[in-house]
């Protein structure tokens, strides 16, 4: 797994230590098992073995300034070589995702681990943000293999089947299998949310929505802005989308409500793009919106 960087930031030599648990019937190195079950299984074995091996000390490079990230990777490589295992980009964030999947009784909880160290490096999102996306994904009723179908995707995002929603789903379904995994959903959502101009697009969409001179959006104002994206929305469908944005259920969407909803559902920024592009925006805004699209 990937290390946290705290031990490597001071730049002192690191003593790697390998701990092995040779076994025949039960691996007592813990993992996805309760403490009570772990102790019971250990007590019912005649012997529980443990081996400790001290590897050569890993020192920071003296002939060049070495980052904590590179220092951690070299130490991780030494441990992986000593254990004869591969290095991965899993981190503590993956354990958080795993535990969330276990709590929700998913049949293959390990399929919800995504190598969070790589995700954080690519998209600069935190483990807590990834867990929030997992909460959203689990609402989509994934099947035993951890895959979500199109209609369940639409239900949670309060969308209807149309060209735009099909394009949104296709954007995530990179394998074109007709279903999406959590990793695909996370990568697609994080990619949109972390585009340099995503936040500006949210600001622009909110500004265009509130036509009454107020600092909030009413339901008919939201309808007017998303109508070009999905022309045949009925009143109930508009109301469902409005409720998704109106997180405090006070009958109006504040700027905080609006931005929070789009951070949790970044794919929904696509609802506002057609209307904004129709308004004859300056060329710089056009480029900004096209990048988000």
């Amino acid at each position: 797994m990937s290390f946290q960087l705290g031990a490597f930031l001071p730049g002192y030599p690191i003593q790697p230590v390998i701990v092995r648990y040779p076994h025949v019937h039960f691996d007592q190195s813990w993992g996805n098992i309760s403490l009570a079950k772990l102790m019971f299984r250990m007590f019912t074995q005649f012997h529980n073995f443990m081996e400790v091996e001290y590897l050569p000390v890993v020192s920071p490079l003296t002939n060049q300034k070495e980052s904590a990230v590179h220092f951690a990777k070299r130490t991780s490589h030494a441990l992986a070589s000593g254990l004869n295992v591969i290095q991965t980009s899993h981190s503590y964030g993956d354990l958080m995702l795993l535990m969330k999947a276990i709590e929700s009784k998913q049949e293959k909880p390990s399929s919800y681990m995504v190598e969070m160290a790589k995700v954080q490096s690519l998209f600069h999102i935190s483990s807590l943000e990834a867990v929030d996306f997992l909460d959203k994904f689990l609402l989509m009723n994934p099947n035993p293999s951890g895959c979500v179908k199109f209609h369940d995707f639409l239900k949670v995002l309060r969308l209807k089947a149309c060209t735009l929603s099909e394009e949104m789903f296709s954007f995530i379904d990179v394998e074109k299998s007709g279903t999406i995994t959590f990793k695909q959903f996370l990568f697609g959502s994080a990619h949109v949310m972390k585009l340099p101009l995503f936040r500006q697009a949210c600001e622009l969409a909110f500004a265009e929505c509130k036509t009454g001179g107020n600092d909030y959006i009413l339901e008919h104002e939201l309808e007017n802005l998303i109508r070009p994206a999905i022309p045949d929305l009925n009143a109930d469908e508009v109301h469902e989308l409005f409720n998704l944005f109106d997180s405090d259920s006070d009958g109006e969407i504040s700027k905080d409500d609006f931005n929070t909803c789009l951070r949790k559902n970044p794919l929904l920024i696509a609802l506002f793009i057609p209307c904004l592009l129709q308004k004859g925006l300056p060329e710089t805004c056009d480029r900004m919106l096209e990048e988000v699209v």
Side-chain angles (χ1 to χ4, degrees):
M1 291 177 62
S2 300
F3 288 125
Q4 298 291 334
L5 299 181
F8 305 93
L9 289 171
Y12 292 114
I14 298 291
Q15 170 64 73
V17 181
I18 291 174
V19 181
R20 298 185 183 89
Y21 297 91
H23 63 279
V24 175
H25 302 293
F26 175 66
D27 178 5
Q28 66 268 32
S29 60
W30 215 332
N32 182 22
I33 183 174
S34 68
L35 178 60
K37 187 173 181 180
L38 172 74
M39 294 178 66
F40 176 78
R41 291 294 305 272
M42 289 178 67
F43 291 158
T44 53
Q45 289 194 132
F46 286 112
H47 301 93
N48 291 287
F49 296 98
M50 181 180 74
E51 298 175 353
V52 179
E53 178 184 354
Y54 288 79
L55 299 178
V57 171
V58 180
S59 298
L61 300 177
T62 56
N63 60 343
Q64 61 187 45
K65 189 173 181 180
E66 185 176 28
S67 68
V69 173
H70 188 262
F71 190 13
K73 285 182 178 178
R74 288 199 301 116
T75 306
S76 175
H77 179 72
L79 285 164
S81 298
L83 286 168
N84 194 29
V85 297
I86 62 170
Q87 290 177 269
T88 76
S89 296
H90 291 92
S91 70
Y92 180 72
D94 287 285
L95 179 60
M96 296 170 64
L97 295 172
L98 177 69
M99 297 310 297
K100 174 66 70 173
I102 291 171
E103 288 172 12
S104 65
K105 300 183 174 12
Q106 298 301 307
E107 291 194 21
K108 294 182 178 179
S110 61
S111 66
Y112 293 90
M113 296 193 293
V114 295
E115 297 192 81
M116 267 306 299
K118 182 185 296 183
V119 174
Q120 288 172 320
S121 174
L122 288 171
F123 303 114
H124 308 289
I125 70 170
S126 68
S127 297
L128 290 176
E129 287 177 303
V131 171
D132 287 341
F133 280 119
L134 179 56
D135 282 330
K136 178 73 63 175
F137 186 81
L138 293 175
L139 292 174
M140 297 178 186
N141 191 31
N143 63 25
S145 298
C147 297
V148 163
K149 295 182 179 179
F150 180 53
H151 68 275
D152 291 314
F153 170 82
L154 296 182
K155 185 176 180 181
V156 170
L157 292 185
R158 316 288 174 87
L159 297 172
K160 67 183 300 181
C162 64
T163 301
L164 178 66
S165 58
E166 288 171 358
E167 290 174 351
M168 292 167 64
F169 189 81
S170 179
F171 168 70
I172 301 175
D173 181 19
V174 292
E175 296 180 357
K176 309 307 175 190
S177 64
T179 60
I180 57 173
T181 65
F182 170 63
K183 187 172 184 177
Q184 292 168 343
F185 177 70
L186 176 64
F187 274 50
S189 299
H191 172 75
V192 172
M193 185 172 66
K194 293 305 175 182
L195 284 172
L197 299 176
F198 173 75
R199 188 170 298 178
Q200 292 173 264
C202 295
E203 296 278 342
L204 188 58
F206 182 80
E208 289 296 329
C209 260
K210 56 184 187 67
T211 57
N214 301 311
D215 290 328
Y216 53 82
I217 299 170
L218 298 176
E219 187 166 332
H220 72 274
E221 294 173 324
L222 179 69
E223 178 181 1
N224 291 337
L225 199 62
I226 63 177
R227 182 69 66 182
I230 310 179
D232 57 344
L233 277 176
N234 61 41
D236 289 338
E237 291 162 343
V238 171
H239 187 65
E240 283 294 311
L241 271 171
F242 181 83
N243 287 339
L244 183 63
F245 280 88
D246 182 19
S247 57
D248 53 7
S249 302
D250 62 353
E252 56 191 41
I253 303 171
S254 67
K255 188 173 184 178
D256 284 342
D257 289 339
F258 190 80
N259 290 335
T260 298
C261 181
L262 287 177
R263 282 197 302 271
K264 291 182 177 180
N265 308 278
L267 297 172
L268 292 183
I269 192 64
L271 290 173
F272 305 98
I273 301 301
C275 182
L276 294 175
L277 289 175
Q278 285 180 7
K279 288 184 176 290
L281 297 169
E283 183 180 350
T284 53
C285 292
D286 281 348
R287 290 201 305 269
M288 177 186 73
L289 296 171
E290 287 169 4
E291 181 179 341
V292 173
V293 172

